[in-house]
Amino acid sequence: MIRKAKIQDIKKIQELINSFASKDLMLPRSLNELYENIRDFWVCEKNRKIAGCCALHVSWDNLAEIKSLAVTKSRHKQGVGRELVEVCLKEAKEIGAKRVFVLTYVQGFFRKFGFKRVKNTDLPHKIWAECINCCKFPNCQEVAMVKQL
Ligand SMILES: CC(C)(COP(=O)(O)OP(=O)(O)OC[C@H]1O[C@@H](n2cnc3c(N)ncnc32)[C@H](O)[C@@H]1OP(=O)(O)O)[C@@H](O)C(=O)NCCC(=O)NCCS
């Protein structure tokens, strides 16, 4: 079941994200960030457990970002990531976004949804402000990809 996240899900969402962040597969998120942005988040629930999460964050005029996509390891390759990305893309369209971007290490996964690699400079300066506070700055290997809706 795909649904919007609830406040009570946040600790599980953080555990899931940070389990991959500790292996350098994605960026960690603090509880504060997660609570403040809870309305961005979708979750996939299976047997009353959080099997995956994904956020859609509005960045700028016509532009939204897919963030914090994570699927619990035992549920990989079962379509959970696909469902989460698809619900975020649908929501992006509904709220009037014209482009969705992602900063990612898994280009092959996002290519399946029509995302194309772009130069970092093709995205507005605003989105890089967040990077300055990241532990990976300035040596981050994430790649920027964009999908036109
Ligand atoms: C990347 C991730 C979200 C994929 O989730 P998933 O539920 O296993 O993906 P799905 O089963 O929905 O796969 C959808 C399609 O993508 C493919 N795919 C899955 N993982 C992939 C990867 N790492 N690279 C390329 N393709 C991938 C699947 O084979 C499937 O292809 P198909 O539709 O042609 O059969 C998951 O592996 C994950 O949580 N990884 C760790 C965290 C991470 O890297 N997050 C992304 C941060 S931007």
Side-chain angles (χ1 to χ4, degrees):
M1 178 178 68
I2 303 285
R3 61 166 173 81
K4 290 298 281 187
K6 295 181 185 166
I7 296 170
Q8 292 74 16
D9 298 324
I10 289 293
K11 286 188 179 147
K12 289 286 171 205
I13 290 175
Q14 190 196 33
E15 268 174 38
L16 179 58
I17 292 172
N18 289 353
S19 70
F20 292 116
S22 65
K23 295 178 187 125
D24 270 354
L25 294 172
M26 60 193 293
L27 300 179
R29 298 282 166 204
S30 68
L31 279 179
N32 183 49
E33 268 179 293
L34 294 173
Y35 283 122
E36 286 192 355
N37 294 291
I38 184 170
R39 281 178 290 182
D40 286 351
F41 271 85
W42 290 89
V43 294
C44 173
E45 187 181 315
K46 299 234 186 230
N47 302 330
R48 300 198 181 164
K49 290 198 172 136
I50 301 294
C53 64
C54 190
L56 180 80
H57 186 73
V58 175
S59 307
W60 204 244
D61 181 25
N62 293 339
L63 183 68
E65 177 180 7
I66 284 186
K67 294 176 89 157
S68 298
L69 169 66
V71 174
T72 196
K73 195 138 184 44
S74 60
R75 298 276 183 189
H76 279 185
K77 301 278 167 97
Q78 295 170 33
V80 175
R82 174 179 290 283
E83 282 192 85
L84 286 164
V85 169
E86 282 175 351
V87 77
C88 287
L89 292 174
K90 182 166 174 277
E91 185 182 29
K93 228 177 198 173
E94 282 167 5
I95 62 173
K98 299 283 182 274
R99 292 195 304 160
V100 175
F101 76 95
V102 63
L103 302 174
T104 186
Y105 300 121
V106 286
Q107 288 184 67
F109 175 80
F110 282 99
R111 233 180 270 125
K112 290 191 180 274
F113 301 89
F115 283 82
K116 296 204 163 64
R117 188 166 178 181
V118 294
K119 283 184 275 175
N120 291 0
T121 47
D122 289 349
L123 296 173
H125 285 149
K126 185 204 163 203
I127 68 148
W128 305 109
E130 197 178 299
C131 298
I132 291 168
N133 295 318
C134 176
C135 53
K136 303 242 166 137
F137 184 80
N139 298 315
C140 171
Q141 304 299 315
E142 283 189 335
V143 161
M145 298 181 84
V146 170
K147 177 179 167 71
Q148 307 285 342
L149 297 180

